[in-house]
Each structure stands twice: as C-alpha cells, then as structure tokens.
Amino acid sequence: MLSAFAVLLCVTALLAYLNERFLHFPTTVGVTLAGALASILLIVLDALGLPGLRGWAAGVLETLDFTEFVLNGILSVLLFAGALSLNARQMLRQRRSILLLAFLSTLISTALIGFAAYGVFALVGLDVPLMWALLFGALISPTDPVAVLDLLKRARVPLKIETLIAGESLFNDGVGVVIFLALAGAAGLGGHGGEVSAAGVAGLFAREALGGLAFGALLGGLGYALLKGATEHAVEILLTLALVVGGYAAAAALGISGPLAMVVAGLIISAWKHELFTPDTQELVEGFWETIDQVLNIVLFAFIGLDVLLTETTGAQILASVLLIGVALAARWISVAVPFALVRAREGYGAYTVRLLTWGGLRGGIAISLALGLPDSPYRTHLVTVTYAVVLFTIAVQGLTIMPIVRRAVEATPDEG
C-alpha cells in the first residue's frame, strides 16, 4: 500500500509539473487530462507489443482501491477543508437556495438521469435494470466544482454566486451519497438488503441525512469548545485534524452521513474562526487546510485520469456514454432551473445563474468511487464506463470552457452582489 501510494504521489507531482510548465491548464483539469493521456499511451504501447507497463500500473491502482481512497480516506478532509474556506455567515444568509438545490435538485437529477439511462441502455442493447439505472442517476448527480472554484475566485465572481456554487456542491455530495445508499438498500445491495420497502428507504434516508447534520453540529460544538481553550497553532491544527478523522470514523460507525457531518462541522468552525483564532494562528490553520485541500485534490484528479487504465469498454458502452453525457447536462439544467424558480426572485440572483450552475456542475471523485464500489454483476461495467465518460467530459470540456462563460456573466451583471 505504501509503495503504491508513493508511486501515485510521484506520478501526480510529475503530471502537475508538466501541466504548470507546458499546458497551463487549471491544475485539477490539467492533471486529469495528463493522467488520462498517460493511461491511453500505456494501453497503446501494450497493444503494440510492449507488455508489462500497463499491467504494473493497473496493479498499483488496484492496490490503492479508488473507492476506499476517496469515500473512507480523503473525502472527510476535502469536505471539511472546503467548508472551512467558505464565508459561513454569507452561506447562512443563502441557506434556502443552497439547501433547496442540494436536496431537491439532487433528487430531481437522480430521477431524470435514472429513467433516461434505463431507456438509453435499452436503446443501445445493454440490459440494465431500472434500479441499477437509478443508482447511476444517484452517483452521477452530485457536483464537484473543485476545478471551477479557483477560476471563479480569479474572475471575481460575486460572493453570492461563489457561495451558492460552493455551498450546493458541499451539501449535495453528502445528499448524493445518502440517496445512493437508500437506492442500494431498495435494490438489496450493500449492507441494507433488508430495507426494501418505501418506508425502509425513507427511514434510511432520514437517518443518514438528518443524523449526519445533527452529528456535524455536535462535532462543530465540540470543536468550538476545545479550540477556544487552545492558543498554540500546532495544537489547534491537531484538534481540527482529530475532529475530522475521528468524527468521520464515528459517523461511519453510527450509520449516519459522514460527508454531511463534515460540512456542518467545518461551517461551524468557519463561522466562529475570528473568535477562536488570533490573526496569526488563523492564517496558519487556514493555510494548513488550504494546502492539504489543494494537494489531495490534485492527487484525486490525477487518480481519476489514471484510472482509465482499469476501464474496459465496448462499442455499445461508448455509444451509451455519448448519449448520457447529453442526458446529464440536460438533467442538470432542469434540476437547477426548477428549484431555482422558487428562490430566484426572492433572493435576487441574476438571469445567468442557472446557466453558470449548469455548466459549472462538474462531476468528480465521488461519482467514480461509488461506481467502482458497486458489487460485481453483469451491469457494473456498463455503469463504470459511462460514469468515467461523464466525469472526464465535465472536467475536460466544461472545466476548460467555463472561464469565458464566467467572464461574460460577470460583465453582463457587474452590480450583482
């Protein structure tokens, strides 16, 4: 495991260096593309009669286990760090739109993509049951705008819009995982095989989501009490790190949503950070979490690109992938526009916001880790291939073309705050 992680870290550093030196893409986008190109190169060399490298690289990636690496590894750190970096008080003011998008939008998107995917799979000759198609809808619906947020900050997007995009993504990560687990329970997969009734699924969703929110508030309160009595920055960093790692492990043991707990705990610490930290220690604590966040995100996106090595494809799967990329975009637009109609006039968002949320709705590591975590079945490879295609499209195409859209949007509404 240590050797495999060392290889991944060294390859990631090389890809990040090459991107900064030659490609000049946003780092997460660049390392994903470079990793995918490196994987394709290994596949081509293997096909040309140079065996060994592809098998060795695939063995390294399988040793690390992408699902374990993300869901039970770095996800807690990424979500807490993301929440800590937000303006929590501004997010509280926008709580209606953020929570409405995180919950209602994710549910709408799951249904739209799930039923459409069922039809697409049947159209191309792939036999995928409706419940598995809905599982695909659940795992692909959460957005991961990590690669976009840095661009939004550079473009000086209004704080309201930046908070909306970041807040929605942090919460819908957790909501998407909860929906996925509820559907898995209905399908008799994982550890929820007995909960096949509608009441059982609803109970699982409520326990995971509401339990995660409540536990996150408890963790945030505990963190506040401990940090208020600390003054050394090393102790404060250690306390926050223990809060994240220990809290996430405890949430998993309790059977509640660890991702939602991390978001709430991070927001509580963020809301009171000026009271908890002196200016010097706040800079050090925030610098630590920002650096950890950036490094782990780069490693994660490199892993996404390199994992192309493990994806076996057929012609029917490629055709389904092309069709479902369009489906995912259309579903994202509808799932944002419908709930947004309820809050847009009241909260004063500009006309461009739905378009920006749609095109900025990148998918990432959570989608792939959930797909790879599916049990072996005749349908698993179909879902994994299509998931990779949608994720790589959103990162490569949407991630590289979002900046002109952002600039035009900002120029069109210069006074919107």
Side-chain angles (χ1 to χ4, degrees):
M1 180 69 73
L2 178 61
S3 298
F5 185 73
V7 171
L8 175 64
L9 197 59
C10 291
V11 171
T12 300
L14 177 61
L15 295 178
Y17 172 78
L18 292 175
N19 175 68
E20 183 176 355
R21 187 75 173 80
F22 301 108
L23 299 179
H24 308 296
F25 290 154
T27 304
T28 48
V29 176
V31 296
T32 304
L33 293 177
L37 291 174
S39 296
I40 293 170
L41 178 61
L42 290 178
I43 294 172
V44 171
L45 290 175
D46 185 72
L48 291 176
L50 294 174
L53 279 178
R54 179 183 179 180
W56 171 80
V60 169
L61 297 176
E62 289 173 341
T63 299
L64 285 172
D65 188 344
F66 191 95
T67 300
E68 191 72 18
F69 180 74
V70 176
L71 292 183
N72 296 324
I74 67 173
L75 181 59
S76 59
V77 175
L78 293 175
L79 292 176
F80 180 85
L84 187 66
S85 68
L86 285 180
N87 184 325
R89 298 181 189 275
Q90 174 66 25
M91 191 168 171
L92 184 62
R93 289 193 286 271
Q94 296 175 236
R95 62 188 179 277
R96 290 188 189 89
S97 52
I98 289 172
L99 292 176
L100 191 64
L101 283 173
F103 282 86
L104 184 57
S105 177
T106 307
L107 285 168
I108 293 173
S109 177
T110 297
L112 290 175
I113 295 176
F115 284 105
Y118 178 68
V120 168
F121 284 130
L123 180 66
V124 301
L126 298 176
D127 179 25
V128 176
L130 177 60
M131 188 56 68
W132 280 75
L134 288 170
L135 282 172
F136 171 70
L139 67 87
I140 207 66
S141 289
T143 58
D144 185 1
V146 171
V148 176
L149 286 179
D150 183 51
L151 300 179
L152 296 177
K153 292 176 182 177
R154 292 182 195 176
R156 297 182 181 179
V157 170
L159 177 62
K160 178 187 290 187
I161 302 304
E162 183 181 331
T163 303
L164 179 68
I165 294 175
E168 184 224 356
S169 72
L170 286 171
F171 276 102
N172 75 14
D173 278 352
V175 172
V177 172
V178 171
I179 295 174
F180 179 87
L181 292 175
L183 289 172
L189 305 176
H192 309 291
E195 300 182 20
V196 295
S197 67
V201 172
L204 173 62
F205 183 87
R207 184 177 75 245
E208 286 268 354
L210 299 180
L213 294 172
F215 188 63
L218 180 64
L219 286 176
L222 176 63
Y224 174 87
L226 293 173
L227 289 168
K228 196 165 178 60
T231 56
E232 291 290 333
H233 72 271
V235 175
E236 292 171 329
I237 290 173
L238 186 59
L239 285 172
T240 55
L241 196 57
L243 186 74
V244 172
V245 178
Y248 198 83
L254 293 170
I256 57 181
S257 175
L260 287 175
M262 290 303 100
V263 172
V264 173
L267 288 173
I268 290 174
I269 302 300
S270 175
W272 299 99
K273 59 188 175 185
H274 298 298
E275 178 181 328
L276 294 173
F277 309 122
T278 65
D280 290 340
T281 57
Q282 180 180 334
E283 183 178 354
L284 290 168
V285 172
E286 288 186 323
F288 169 82
W289 281 103
E290 182 179 357
T291 302
I292 290 292
D293 185 38
Q294 291 176 348
V295 169
L296 289 181
N297 270 309
I298 294 171
V299 173
L300 171 60
F301 280 87
F303 207 160
I304 290 173
L306 293 169
D307 252 22
V308 170
L309 275 172
L310 304 179
T311 308
E312 301 290 340
T313 60
T314 65
Q317 289 172 348
I318 293 173
L319 180 56
S321 298
V322 172
L323 295 174
L324 286 173
I325 286 171
V327 167
L329 271 174
R332 172 64 178 169
W333 181 80
I334 295 170
S335 67
V336 168
V338 170
F340 218 73
L342 303 175
V343 296
R344 177 178 161 186
R346 177 185 298 178
E347 301 199 6
Y349 293 105
Y352 75 89
T353 309
V354 170
R355 295 194 294 272
L356 190 56
L357 282 166
T358 300
W359 200 248
L362 308 189
R363 274 68 169 188
I366 289 180
I368 292 177
S369 62
L370 290 174
L372 290 175
L374 289 168
D376 289 333
S377 80
Y379 325 115
R380 180 181 180 275
T381 181
H382 305 328
L383 266 62
V384 170
T385 299
V386 174
T387 300
Y388 267 117
V390 174
V391 168
L392 290 177
F393 176 87
T394 62
I395 294 172
V397 178
Q398 293 174 224
L400 288 177
T401 57
I402 187 68
M403 199 61 179
I405 297 174
V406 171
R407 289 197 183 108
R408 287 197 297 270
V410 172
E411 290 169 1
T413 56
D415 296 325
E416 182 175 305

